[in-house]
């Protein structure tokens, strides 16, 4: 898209906001239209996701379409309630007064998205930003071009351009958009680019949410049901070919059950994908040959106990298990973001702590244990974006739980009401009642005020 077209879109969104015609009812109508259009485009969306990532239809339905539909329905139901002023308690020192918070949209929001869940990760923040009364420009990832093109068509069919627009393109387009003034920037992607976004936003003091990545540990205690744990880990790790920001990045397992865990991980992988995963309808592909090269490089020289084969032409790499890698090697220093699962055994918790703290503030934190003390110790001692006990990934499904990272894994959170809060500025308003004059703060001040002091300190 050329520069003048981009500027036209931005200016038209400014004009739309200035016109004050963004009523809640009109937003609900557009959300309903979006729901209908997603159904109309459903087959095209499946096809695009299959072309970009070899995603199976059922996986695309569950992880890309269903979550978006649920988010739209939630906003249709709740947006009136969430948009109301929120009364808060008054301070006795201001008696009598009425105090409330008035949510207002920030204005023009820029949403930049990654390629791994290219449909869902573009639409979920859009629903929150648009429903809260903002206009939106989405810049989807250039690495999932088929999905980005369907997304662009879907948005064009649903929204007037001066309310929501898609601007497709690569990092240069993204940089150009970041150089412009926005009222809010919502970025999902790598920590490296997150830092660039933060520094561009800082130039205009634009508020941001950063949804980033990181190394999410999965810690397994000795007393767990290993078969069930293996099933849940394999499903969370290898879905979308391991390209999930909250996939368990590596396993820390009590040494006593290490061999049994490996055995069951292998059984589960075979059960899910067969002994030729490249022929399985349920197994995805790596997004690009460059990404595949990165993965084959980090497993070179490692102790591969399962899988490891790859095919560059097909952007394919087998589900792979690595045993006890050196914790200073690349595989334990960078986010894996592929179907490779290192398994490291520990004897006591101090070893676990040392490894996790090498990559602090993970986006997700998984614990498999039935021991309350063990679980509480880990939850209390580590900082993370979100935690699941005895399963993987499923916290993302519950929109009552805010989704976001901390430190290297991001800042801010969204989903459901948390999205509404993220994309709204709550203006505090205090209305003083005029029938009563509180003489206290007006001069002349009393010479002696010991009794008054006690009273005021009490309330
Ligand atoms: P990325 O950071 O490379 O790209 C994300 C977006 O930024 C793309 O639209 C891209 O065009 C744009 N971009 C790239 N370079 C840029 C630059 N120099 N300046 C401005 N914009 C630029 O990320 P990716 O490879 O698309 O996605 C993978 C990463 O995203 C992983 O680290 C993963 O953990 C993370 N992720 C996080 C979440 C989350 O919800 N926290 C979800 C999915 C992915």
């Amino acid at each position: 898209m050329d520069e003048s077209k981009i500027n036209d879109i931005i200016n038209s969104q400014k004009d739309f906001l200035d016109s004050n015609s963004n009523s809640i009812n009109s937003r609900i109508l557009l959300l309903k239209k979006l729901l209908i259009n997603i159904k109309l485009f459903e087959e095209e969306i499946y096809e695009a996701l299959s072309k970009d990532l070899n995603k199976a239809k059922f996986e695309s339905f569950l992880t890309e379409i269903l979550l978006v539909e649920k988010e739209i329905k939630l906003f249709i139901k709740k947006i009136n309630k969430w948009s109301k002023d929120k009364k808060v308690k008054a301070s006795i020192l201001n008696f009598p007064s009425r105090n409330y918070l008035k949510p207002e949209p920030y204005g023009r929001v820029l949403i930049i998205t990654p390629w791994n869940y290219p449909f869902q990760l573009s639409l979920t923040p859009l629903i929150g930003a648009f429903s809260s009364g903002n206009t939106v420009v989405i810049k989807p990832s250039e690495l999932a071009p088929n999905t980005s093109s369907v997304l662009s068509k879907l948005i064009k069919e649903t929204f007037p351009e001066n309310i929501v627009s898609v601007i497709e393109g690569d990092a240069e387009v993204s940089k150009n958009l970041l150089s412009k003034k926005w009222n809010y920037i919502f970025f999902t992607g790598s920590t490296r680019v997150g830092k660039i976004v933060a520094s561009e936003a800082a130039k205009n003091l634009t508020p941001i949410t950063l949804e980033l990545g990181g190394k999410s540990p999965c810690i397994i205690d000795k007393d767990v049901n290993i078969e069930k744990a293996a099933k849940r880990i394999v499903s969370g790790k290898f879905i979308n070919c391991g390209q999930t920001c909250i996939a368990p990045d590596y396993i820390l397992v009590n040494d006593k059950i290490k061999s049994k865990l490996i055995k069951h991980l292998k059984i589960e992988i075979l059960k899910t994908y067969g002994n030729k995963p490249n022929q399985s309808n349920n197994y995805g592909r790596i997004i690009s040959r460059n990404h595949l090269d990165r993965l084959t490089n980090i497993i070179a020289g490692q102790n591969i106990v399962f899988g490891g084969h790859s095919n560059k032409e097909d952007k394919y790499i087998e589900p792979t298990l690595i045993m006890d890698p050196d914790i200073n090697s690349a595989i334990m220093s960078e986010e894996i973001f592929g179907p490779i699962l290192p398994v490291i055994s520990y004897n006591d918790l101090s070893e676990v702590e040392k490894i996790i703290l090498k990559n602090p503030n993970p986006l997700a934190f998984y614990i498999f244990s039935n021991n309350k003390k063990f679980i509480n110790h880990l939850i209390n001692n580590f900082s993370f974006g979100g935690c699941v006990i005895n399963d993987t990934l499923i916290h993302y499904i519950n929109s009552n739980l805010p989704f976001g990272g901390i430190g290297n894994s991001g800042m801010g959170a969204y989903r459901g009401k948390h999205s509404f809060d993220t994309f709204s500025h709550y203006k505090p308003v205090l209305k003083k009642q005029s029938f009563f004059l509180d003489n206290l703060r007006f001069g002349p001040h009393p010479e002696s005020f010991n009794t008054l002091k006690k009273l005021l300190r009490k309330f």
Side-chain angles (χ1 to χ4, degrees), residues 113-116 139 142 174 188-190 193 211-213 245 335 403:
T113 62
W115 48 262
N116 61 332
K139 206 304 277 172
E142 68 280 20
S174 193
T188 307
S190 62
V193 179
E211 296 283 340
L212 312 177
C245 58
E335 180 183 11
F403 183 82

Side-chain angles (χ1 to χ4, degrees), residues 112-117 121 139-143 169-176 178 187-194 196-197 200 210-214 243-246 287 291 335 337 363 396 403-405 409-410 414:
I112 301 176
T113 62
W115 48 262
N116 61 332
Y117 290 86
L121 288 174
K139 206 304 277 172
S141 171
E142 68 280 20
L143 293 182
D170 59 10
E172 290 310 311
V173 172
S174 193
K175 283 184 204 163
N176 180 25
L178 284 170
F187 171 80
T188 307
S190 62
T191 303
R192 179 185 70 81
V193 179
I196 297 172
V197 171
E200 288 303 307
L210 298 178
E211 296 283 340
L212 312 177
Q243 301 164 113
T244 304
C245 58
I246 47 173
I287 190 70
H291 287 71
E335 180 183 11
F337 219 56
L363 183 59
Y396 191 77
F403 183 82
S409 57
Y414 71 130

